[in-house]
Amino acid sequence: MSTAYTDPILAWYESNARDLPWRSPSATPWGVLVSEIMLQQTPVNRVMPVWHEWMKRWPTPPDLAAEPSGEAVRAWGRLGYPRRALRLHATAKAITERHDGEVPSSHAELLDLPGIGSYTAAAVASFAYRQRHAVLDTNVRRVLSRLISGDEYPPKSQTKAEVATAEALLPLDPPTAALWSVAVMELGALVCTARTPRCVDCPVLDKCTWQLEGRPAYDGPPRRGQTYAGTDRQCRGRLMAVLRDAEGPVEKPALDIVWSDPIQRERALDTLIADGLVDPLDDGRYALPS
DNA sequence: TAAACGTGGTT
DNA sequence: TAACCAAGTTT
């Protein structure tokens, strides 16, 4: 294993880390878990106020588990991907029932919880419990891609080679490994960014393969998908906004007015019901789930 | 494995 | 301005 990157990046983190609330010594494992779910595909700035609100309202998993799932969806606000709120509520219930109300510390038990995949399990085990796991998020994948492979961007989907690389770089001492993981993520978030990296501020610039090879341009396939306007996703978002902003159940016309295409609207509503995000009541009205 | 899944800021 | 991007997971 290589240690050439470890000390410069740890030193850089010590003086450049953002003071994020879920990194505070007073943050609980539950607070870390909630932050990780909220941060999936969602920028820090948008998460911050919602996280504070959640922590004040639901300081422990049993607090959230005692509420209807619809309250979690409502309090999710406009963070996006509201199925995360539903799964976080289900996770709170599972923790309450299966783990005595305490967020489990083992990677396997975390992985068993709804909405928690390989990244989030590793992140919670590392950041909340100071364990030694390879934490591979989009930031770390990009940093290692540039530093080690010399490619501007990592492969479209995670490879075994990337996991092997990340594990090889992981310091042996668990608390140091946990610190390393958050430090590499932070480097990717603040310096080794996707679009215009601030290489002048990089602590390992002299060891960066991509840099040493003259920063060759990305030559792979386009990495993005379709536009958002007009999609079912946008339609679902509109419908959910109506339900979130209403005090209680809403009449069907209140949903109909936010999307003109009836075919697409009904399809979107059906998928929301199938996902458990919308509850069709017996009286014909619609509500957030109970 | 690829596509689906929200939202808003940045380039 | 349209495209890209943000601490991914699920099916």
Side-chain angles (χ1 to χ4, degrees):
Chain A
M1 83 166 242
S2 165
T3 56
Y5 304 105
T6 313
D7 286 349
I9 291 181
L10 287 175
W12 173 88
Y13 182 73
E14 194 171 347
S15 46
N16 291 279
R18 288 168 294 179
D19 187 20
L20 303 175
W22 42 86
R23 287 181 185 162
S24 156
S26 62
T28 62
W30 170 241
V32 172
L33 196 169
V34 170
S35 79
E36 288 302 334
I37 302 294
M38 289 183 172
L39 286 163
Q40 290 170 4
Q41 306 286 281
T42 308
V44 166
N45 292 337
R46 302 230 317 273
V47 165
M48 198 92 71
V50 183
W51 183 86
H52 278 115
E53 209 176 293
W54 274 56
M55 288 300 100
K56 184 178 175 188
R57 185 171 176 186
W58 299 306
T60 71
D63 294 323
L64 178 58
E67 295 254 11
S69 58
E71 281 307 294
V73 173
R74 191 190 306 277
W76 197 251
R78 305 188 66 80
L79 286 183
Y81 294 146
R83 291 191 294 195
R84 290 183 293 168
L86 216 47
R87 292 181 179 137
L88 190 45
H89 181 267
T91 274
K93 287 178 79 168
I95 290 173
T96 302
E97 291 162 9
R98 314 205 296 251
H99 300 290
D100 240 12
E102 301 286 336
V103 175
S105 60
S106 88
H107 186 278
E109 287 177 320
L110 287 164
L111 206 47
D112 270 341
L113 297 169
I116 297 192
S118 144
Y119 160 76
T120 304
V124 173
S126 297
F127 306 152
Y129 294 111
R130 309 254 132 201
Q131 294 173 19
R132 184 177 182 275
H133 296 278
V135 176
L136 265 184
D137 78 323
T138 187
N139 291 301
V140 176
R141 294 185 63 220
R142 186 177 55 249
V143 171
L144 298 187
S145 170
R146 291 173 182 169
L147 223 46
I148 311 294
S149 310
D151 296 323
E152 185 176 13
Y153 297 113
K156 196 166 170 59
S157 57
Q158 185 178 302
T159 64
K160 290 182 179 179
E162 287 183 272
V163 177
T165 297
E167 286 177 345
L169 290 172
L170 211 51
L172 294 176
D173 172 56
T176 307
L179 193 59
W180 159 257
S181 294
V182 74
V184 179
M185 282 180 65
E186 192 75 336
L187 185 66
L190 299 182
V191 174
C192 196
T193 53
R195 218 81 80 84
T196 51
R198 307 159 54 130
C199 296
V200 291
D201 295 327
C202 183
V204 286
L205 181 62
D206 61 330
K207 304 174 189 66
C208 176
T209 305
W210 185 52
Q211 188 70 218
L212 293 170
E213 293 180 351
R215 296 174 57 160
Y218 176 77
D219 64 348
R223 298 176 299 133
R224 250 311 182 257
Q226 60 193 40
T227 53
Y228 179 62
T231 60
D232 284 11
R233 264 148 90 165
Q234 184 185 33
C235 181
R236 285 167 53 106
R238 292 265 186 88
L239 297 173
M240 288 307 297
V242 171
L243 291 165
R244 270 200 315 268
D245 298 342
E247 301 261 339
V250 304
E251 308 281 348
K252 186 65 167 24
L255 297 175
D256 291 343
I257 58 172
V258 299
W259 198 263
S260 57
D261 178 353
I263 304 287
Q264 189 175 27
R265 187 208 308 141
E266 295 310 312
R267 181 174 67 225
L269 184 55
D270 283 346
T271 67
L272 288 171
I273 292 168
D275 286 347
L277 284 164
V278 173
D279 188 10
L281 303 180
D282 291 337
D283 63 9
R285 295 184 298 168
Y286 295 85
L288 292 178
S290 50

